[in-house]
């Protein structure tokens, strides 16, 4: 008769480990030792000062009143039944020394204006003729009049003065994207992806090609297709698929100059580019970058594996040292390459911290009125203007937050380990799940405050999951008491 023999275990070495320093998200992989400061699986938690926090949230947008009284909700609007996406923008209406913006929403066939001069009390609709690929800019005329120039690829250019509706610019091109630099409007037009067109100085109604009027700049295509334009730091910057040109475009067009200032290794995502104070921030295939007009520096490459060709619905904004991007992320290899936005990502431009939440919003736009600086957004099918915040709630509803690390062997992959207990001292409670490579699983509820809970789970490596469904989260790292055996079963 034969018997299964078990190896006799020697006396274990007892150690105490900190689970994590909670430093953030890193999609490029994490360590198998403890503390495991970075994770490649985290959603709806935020990271701050070595703690897990409530993370990104959204609420109804409230606007600060002129007299400093309580903020008032932006009124609801009727979301078009068959509309895929609306577009948010702002019109510098010139109210109170140019300090305030109307909120604009573009649908397929109309523009809705919520005027600040009327205390944002109602939406006013103006018809448009199917402006596909809507784009718009604020412009100050030679006479000091504030106007908003809007274009779609199917209908040319129209000008809005905030009062009398739209004035059609008869000789303008069909514009896909435009910006204002100095006294001109510069544009990328339909069916011409290698040129930048511009109007006459101080006259957005005149796009005639002439040394005394408008014209265009032709690029050689060595950096790819022309995608986006930004008037920034005394120059016009032309973003292509794989690089940036700087254009000196003041005064007479005969003195314009063009210089290539950056060639990228990975494709630049045009919808990710935003102005961020004294620099521009953008995402490329290989990371998030900062551009000061002369030099490009990498902010983080920890998001790179999330980026792919399904970037058509990118929307980005910048506010209070945070770069926000709404995008579609694949949840697995079987997921489609593109779809509705399902992630909102916040990158702290000072620390590099990354927060990710599973939230569907789009058309991010920064509102910058006196005493109020925040990002607003839309949600498909919802007739409300939203505000991005750090409450961790989705319109008052709790989202499940999850932080996870896998295959942690504590630096000793061949040794058997028994996790005896976990101790914690956090402001809010949470659930801790531990799964070993032997198939054992332990789920324990960790209360707020100082506490200790027995686990007694064995294995050579472990997965750890922290989850929370409370309204608020403020979780410090737990500590594990572990017995390590030199042999194994």
């Amino acid at each position: 008769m034969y018997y299964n023999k078990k190896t006799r275990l020697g006396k274990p070495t007892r150690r105490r480990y900190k689970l994590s320093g909670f430093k953030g998200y890193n999609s490029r992989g994490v360590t198998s030792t403890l503390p495991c400061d970075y994770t490649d699986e985290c959603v709806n938690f935020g990271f701050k000062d070595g703690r897990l926090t409530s993370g990104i949230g959204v609420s109804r947008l409230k606007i600060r009143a002129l007299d400093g009284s309580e903020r008032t909700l932006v009124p609801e609007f009727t979301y078009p039944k068959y509309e895929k996406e609306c577009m948010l923008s702002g019109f510098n209406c010139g109210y109170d020394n140019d300090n305030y913006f109307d909120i604009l929403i573009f649908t397929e066939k109309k523009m809705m204006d919520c005027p600040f001069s009327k205390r944002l009390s109602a939406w006013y609709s103006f018809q448009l003729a199917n402006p596909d690929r809507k784009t718009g800019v604020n412009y100050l005329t030679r006479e000091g009049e504030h106007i908003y120039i809007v274009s779609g690829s199917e209908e040319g250019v129209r000008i809005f003065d905030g009062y009398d509706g739209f004035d059609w610019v008869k000789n303008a091109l069909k514009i896909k994207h435009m910006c204002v630099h100095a006294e001109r409007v510069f544009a990328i037009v339909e069916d011409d992806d290698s040129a930048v067109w511009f109007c006459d100085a101080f006259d957005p109604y005149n796009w005639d090609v002439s040394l005394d009027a408008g014209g265009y700049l032709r690029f050689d295509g060595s950096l790819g297709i022309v995608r986006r334009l930004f008037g920034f730091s005394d120059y016009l910057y032309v973003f292509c698929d794989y690089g940036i040109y700087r254009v000196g475009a003041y005064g007479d067009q005969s003195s314009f100059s063009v210089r290539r200032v950056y060639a990228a290794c990975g494709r630049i995502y045009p919808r990710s580019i935003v102005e961020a104070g004294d620099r521009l921030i953008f995402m490329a295939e290989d990371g998030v970058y900062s551009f000061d007009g002369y030099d490009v520096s990498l902010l983080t490459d920890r998001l790179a594996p999330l980026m792919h060709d399904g970037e058509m619905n990118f929307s980005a904004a910048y506010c209070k040292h945070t770069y926000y991007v709404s995008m579609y992320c694949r949840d697995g290899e079987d997921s489609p390459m593109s779809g509705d936005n399902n992630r909102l990502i916040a990158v702290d431009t000072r620390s590099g911290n990354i927060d990710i939440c599973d939230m569907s919003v789009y058309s991010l736009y920064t509102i910058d009125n006196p005493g109020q600086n925040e990002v607003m957004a839309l949600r498909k099918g919802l007739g409300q203007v939203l505000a991005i915040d750090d409450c961790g709630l989705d319109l008052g509803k709790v989202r499940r937050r999850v932080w996870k690390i896998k295959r942690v062997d504590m630096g000793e992959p061949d040794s058997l380990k028994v996790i005896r207990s976990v101790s914690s001292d956090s402001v809010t409670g949470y659930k801790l799940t531990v799964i070993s490579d032997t198939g054992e699983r332990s789920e324990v509820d960790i209360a707020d405050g100082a506490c200790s809970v027995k686990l007694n789970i064995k294995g050579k490596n472990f997965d750890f999951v922290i989850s929370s469904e409370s309204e608020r989260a403020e979780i410090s790292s737990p500590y594990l008491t572990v017995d390590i055996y030199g042999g194994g079963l």
Side-chain angles (χ1 to χ4, degrees):
M1 182 178 291
Y2 294 94
Y3 296 90
N4 291 327
K5 294 182 179 181
K6 293 185 179 180
T7 302
R8 184 182 294 272
L9 298 178
K11 185 177 179 179
T13 300
R14 176 158 291 188
R15 293 177 184 168
R16 190 169 187 262
Y17 292 97
K18 182 179 182 179
L19 182 62
S20 175
F22 293 139
K23 291 185 178 180
Y25 175 85
N26 186 353
S27 62
R28 291 195 176 277
V30 296
T31 178
S32 62
T33 60
L34 294 180
C36 191
D37 291 337
Y38 293 94
T39 175
D40 58 1
E41 291 190 44
C42 183
V43 66
N44 298 331
F45 273 121
F47 297 91
K48 185 176 182 181
D49 301 329
R51 292 171 289 119
L52 293 176
T53 60
S54 301
I56 312 169
V58 294
S59 55
R60 289 276 305 277
L61 177 66
K62 294 183 177 181
I63 296 294
R64 176 182 175 272
L66 279 175
D67 58 8
S69 60
E70 178 113 12
R71 293 185 179 187
T72 56
L73 284 172
V74 173
E76 295 189 5
F77 63 96
T78 301
Y79 199 100
K81 186 174 181 180
Y82 300 106
E83 186 81 9
K84 292 182 178 180
E85 286 190 11
C86 301
M87 184 189 82
L88 265 177
S89 189
F91 170 46
N92 186 346
C93 55
Y95 190 75
D96 189 34
N97 297 319
D98 304 343
N99 286 329
Y100 291 90
F101 282 75
D102 291 2
I103 299 175
L104 303 180
I105 294 178
F106 290 91
T107 69
E108 185 179 3
K109 295 184 179 180
K110 65 182 178 180
M111 182 193 81
M112 292 181 285
D113 178 23
C114 193
F116 197 93
S117 60
K118 297 184 182 297
R119 303 299 189 265
L120 297 171
S121 59
W123 292 96
Y124 296 82
S125 294
F126 301 88
Q127 291 300 122
L128 290 170
N130 194 26
D132 184 36
R133 295 185 186 177
K134 299 166 283 289
T135 180
V137 293
N138 286 282
Y139 186 89
L140 184 64
T141 67
R142 190 195 301 269
E143 294 77 22
E145 179 187 8
H146 291 269
I147 59 176
Y148 189 86
I149 305 171
V150 61
S151 178
S153 60
E154 298 300 324
E155 72 158 19
V157 174
R158 292 175 181 262
I159 292 178
F160 176 67
D161 64 4
Y163 301 99
D164 300 322
F166 288 99
D167 192 10
W168 184 38
V169 181
K170 296 181 180 180
N171 68 335
L173 301 164
K174 295 178 180 179
I175 295 174
K176 296 192 297 183
H177 174 74
M178 58 183 160
C179 79
V180 174
H181 172 63
E183 65 272 17
R184 301 179 190 266
V185 177
F186 290 82
I188 304 168
V189 305
E190 197 73 19
D191 300 324
D192 190 355
D193 292 325
S194 64
V196 173
W197 294 73
F198 52 88
C199 70
D200 191 7
F202 292 108
D203 189 0
Y205 286 88
N206 185 0
W207 292 79
D208 293 337
V209 177
S210 165
L211 286 176
D212 298 324
Y216 60 87
L217 299 168
R218 182 73 59 187
F219 295 85
D220 63 9
S222 60
L223 297 180
I225 291 174
V226 176
R227 297 292 188 180
R228 283 293 187 272
L229 308 172
F230 283 85
F232 170 76
S233 187
D234 296 328
Y235 290 95
L236 173 73
Y237 289 94
V238 180
F239 280 76
C240 301
D241 285 326
Y242 294 95
I244 307 171
Y245 291 97
R246 183 172 66 221
V247 180
Y250 275 98
D252 189 271
Q253 61 178 279
S254 61
S255 64
F256 286 8
S257 62
V258 178
R259 180 181 179 183
R260 187 169 76 171
V261 293
Y262 176 64
C265 295
R267 185 166 64 92
I268 297 171
Y269 296 126
R271 294 192 180 194
S272 73
I273 310 166
V274 297
E275 189 169 340
D278 59 354
R279 56 183 168 170
L280 299 172
I281 296 178
F282 62 89
M283 295 178 76
E285 288 176 320
D286 52 350
V288 180
Y289 289 87
S290 171
F291 175 57
D292 64 3
Y294 295 89
D295 299 309
V296 172
S297 58
L298 179 68
L299 285 178
T300 180
D301 63 355
R302 288 185 274 142
L303 280 171
L306 294 180
M307 306 175 200
H308 54 84
D309 288 339
E311 57 85 27
M312 290 303 295
N313 293 326
F314 264 30
S315 181
Y318 174 84
C319 182
K320 299 175 183 176
H321 305 291
T322 302
Y323 173 64
Y324 296 93
V325 179
S326 171
M327 60 189 289
Y328 168 75
C329 291
R330 298 178 70 195
D331 291 319
E333 293 184 358
D334 295 332
S335 300
M337 289 300 296
S338 62
D340 291 338
N341 290 359
N342 59 4
R343 296 290 189 274
L344 179 62
I345 299 172
V347 180
D348 189 312
T349 58
R350 297 167 297 181
S351 67
N353 277 358
I354 298 170
D355 296 347
I356 301 176
C357 71
D358 58 351
M359 183 179 295
S360 177
V361 293
Y362 67 94
S363 193
L364 307 184
Y365 191 90
T366 302
I367 186 168
D368 191 11
N369 284 337
Q372 183 170 11
N373 182 214
E374 56 191 309
V375 175
M376 55 183 181
L378 295 176
R379 175 169 293 168
K380 191 175 294 185
L382 180 67
Q384 297 175 349
V385 181
L386 308 177
I388 309 299
D389 55 33
D390 59 359
C391 71
L393 303 177
D394 188 348
L395 293 174
K397 297 179 180 179
V398 176
R399 298 190 318 276
R400 185 171 185 261
R401 307 178 184 95
V402 177
W403 176 94
K404 184 176 185 178
I405 52 176
K406 293 181 177 179
R407 295 177 291 279
V408 176
D409 59 26
M410 303 169 199
E412 300 192 34
D414 298 325
S415 296
L416 176 70
K417 307 159 192 80
V418 180
I419 303 176
R420 296 298 183 186
S421 64
V422 56
S423 58
S424 175
D425 190 2
S426 291
V427 175
T428 60
Y430 55 94
K431 176 175 287 187
L432 175 66
T433 302
V434 184
I435 306 168
S436 78
D437 59 339
T438 65
E440 291 187 38
R441 181 187 183 98
S442 179
E443 291 187 3
V444 291
D445 291 319
I446 308 295
D448 56 355
C451 65
S452 180
V453 179
K454 291 182 178 181
L455 292 176
N456 291 322
I457 181 171
K458 66 178 181 293
K460 290 185 177 181
N461 60 71
F462 304 86
D463 297 348
F464 295 89
V465 182
I466 291 177
S467 58
S468 170
E469 296 187 41
S470 60
E471 283 195 10
R472 177 171 169 259
E474 188 173 340
I475 300 170
S476 301
S477 177
Y479 285 80
L480 306 172
T481 299
V482 183
D483 285 345
I484 300 179
Y485 296 85
L489 290 176

